[in-house]
Short mmCIF file of all heavy atoms in Angstrom, two decimals:
data_model
loop_
_atom_site.label_atom_id
_atom_site.label_comp_id
_atom_site.label_asym_id
_atom_site.label_seq_id
_atom_site.Cartn_x
_atom_site.Cartn_y
_atom_site.Cartn_z
N LEU B 229 84.84 37.86 131.94
CA LEU B 229 86.35 37.92 132.06
C LEU B 229 86.97 37.78 130.68
O LEU B 229 87.95 38.64 130.48
CB LEU B 229 86.74 36.81 133.04
CG LEU B 229 88.35 36.64 133.14
CD1 LEU B 229 88.89 37.87 133.78
CD2 LEU B 229 88.74 35.43 133.96
N VAL B 230 86.58 36.89 129.89
CA VAL B 230 87.11 36.83 128.57
C VAL B 230 87.10 38.03 127.64
O VAL B 230 87.95 38.55 127.08
CB VAL B 230 86.65 35.57 127.76
CG1 VAL B 230 87.20 35.44 126.40
CG2 VAL B 230 86.85 34.30 128.58
N PRO B 231 85.83 38.63 127.65
CA PRO B 231 85.67 39.89 126.84
C PRO B 231 86.65 40.95 127.38
O PRO B 231 87.19 41.84 126.62
CB PRO B 231 84.22 40.24 127.04
CG PRO B 231 83.57 38.99 127.11
CD PRO B 231 84.45 38.11 128.00
N ALA B 232 86.76 41.05 128.75
CA ALA B 232 87.60 42.12 129.40
C ALA B 232 89.06 41.84 128.93
O ALA B 232 89.81 42.80 128.59
CB ALA B 232 87.47 42.06 130.88
N LEU B 233 89.52 40.61 129.01
CA LEU B 233 90.85 40.20 128.45
C LEU B 233 91.10 40.65 127.10
O LEU B 233 92.19 41.12 126.65
CB LEU B 233 91.22 38.77 128.89
CG LEU B 233 91.18 38.30 130.28
CD1 LEU B 233 91.46 36.81 130.40
CD2 LEU B 233 92.39 39.11 130.95
N LEU B 234 90.08 40.42 126.26
CA LEU B 234 90.20 40.70 124.76
C LEU B 234 90.30 42.22 124.65
O LEU B 234 91.05 42.71 123.79
CB LEU B 234 89.01 40.16 124.06
CG LEU B 234 89.05 38.68 123.67
CD1 LEU B 234 87.67 38.16 123.08
CD2 LEU B 234 90.19 38.26 122.80
N ALA B 235 89.58 42.99 125.40
CA ALA B 235 89.63 44.45 125.42
C ALA B 235 90.96 44.87 125.76
O ALA B 235 91.58 45.75 125.15
CB ALA B 235 88.53 45.01 126.27
N VAL B 236 91.58 44.31 126.76
CA VAL B 236 92.99 44.74 127.21
C VAL B 236 94.01 44.31 126.08
O VAL B 236 94.86 45.17 125.81
CB VAL B 236 93.35 43.92 128.52
CG1 VAL B 236 94.81 44.16 128.86
CG2 VAL B 236 92.45 44.40 129.63
N PHE B 237 93.79 43.22 125.51
CA PHE B 237 94.66 42.81 124.32
C PHE B 237 94.49 43.73 123.28
O PHE B 237 95.64 44.15 122.64
CB PHE B 237 94.24 41.31 123.88
CG PHE B 237 94.97 40.89 122.74
CD1 PHE B 237 96.32 40.70 122.76
CD2 PHE B 237 94.37 40.62 121.43
CE1 PHE B 237 97.15 40.22 121.69
CE2 PHE B 237 95.03 40.10 120.40
CZ PHE B 237 96.50 39.95 120.48
N VAL B 238 93.35 44.27 122.88
CA VAL B 238 93.28 45.20 121.86
C VAL B 238 93.85 46.62 122.10
O VAL B 238 94.40 47.11 121.37
CB VAL B 238 91.77 45.41 121.46
CG1 VAL B 238 91.53 46.55 120.51
CG2 VAL B 238 91.16 44.19 120.76
N TYR B 239 93.65 46.89 123.49
CA TYR B 239 94.30 48.15 123.92
C TYR B 239 95.79 48.05 123.78
O TYR B 239 96.52 49.00 123.43
CB TYR B 239 93.89 48.47 125.42
CG TYR B 239 94.38 49.54 125.93
CD1 TYR B 239 93.88 50.94 125.66
CD2 TYR B 239 95.53 49.70 126.78
CE1 TYR B 239 94.25 52.12 126.22
CE2 TYR B 239 95.99 50.82 127.41
CZ TYR B 239 95.33 52.07 127.10
OH TYR B 239 95.85 53.20 127.60
N TYR B 240 96.38 46.90 124.17
CA TYR B 240 97.84 46.67 124.02
C TYR B 240 98.29 46.82 122.58
O TYR B 240 99.25 47.46 122.33
CB TYR B 240 98.17 45.35 124.53
CG TYR B 240 99.59 44.93 124.31
CD1 TYR B 240 100.75 45.50 124.94
CD2 TYR B 240 99.85 44.02 123.33
CE1 TYR B 240 101.97 45.05 124.64
CE2 TYR B 240 101.19 43.53 123.01
CZ TYR B 240 102.24 44.15 123.70
OH TYR B 240 103.52 43.78 123.38
N LEU B 241 97.52 46.24 121.68
CA LEU B 241 97.87 46.22 120.25
C LEU B 241 97.85 47.67 119.70
O LEU B 241 98.67 48.17 118.92
CB LEU B 241 96.99 45.34 119.43
CG LEU B 241 97.11 43.86 119.64
CD1 LEU B 241 96.11 43.14 118.74
CD2 LEU B 241 98.53 43.39 119.31
#
Side-chain angles (χ1 to χ4, degrees):
L229 176 60
V230 178
L233 292 175
L234 283 174
V236 172
F237 176 61
V238 170
Y239 182 79
Y240 168 76
L241 291 179

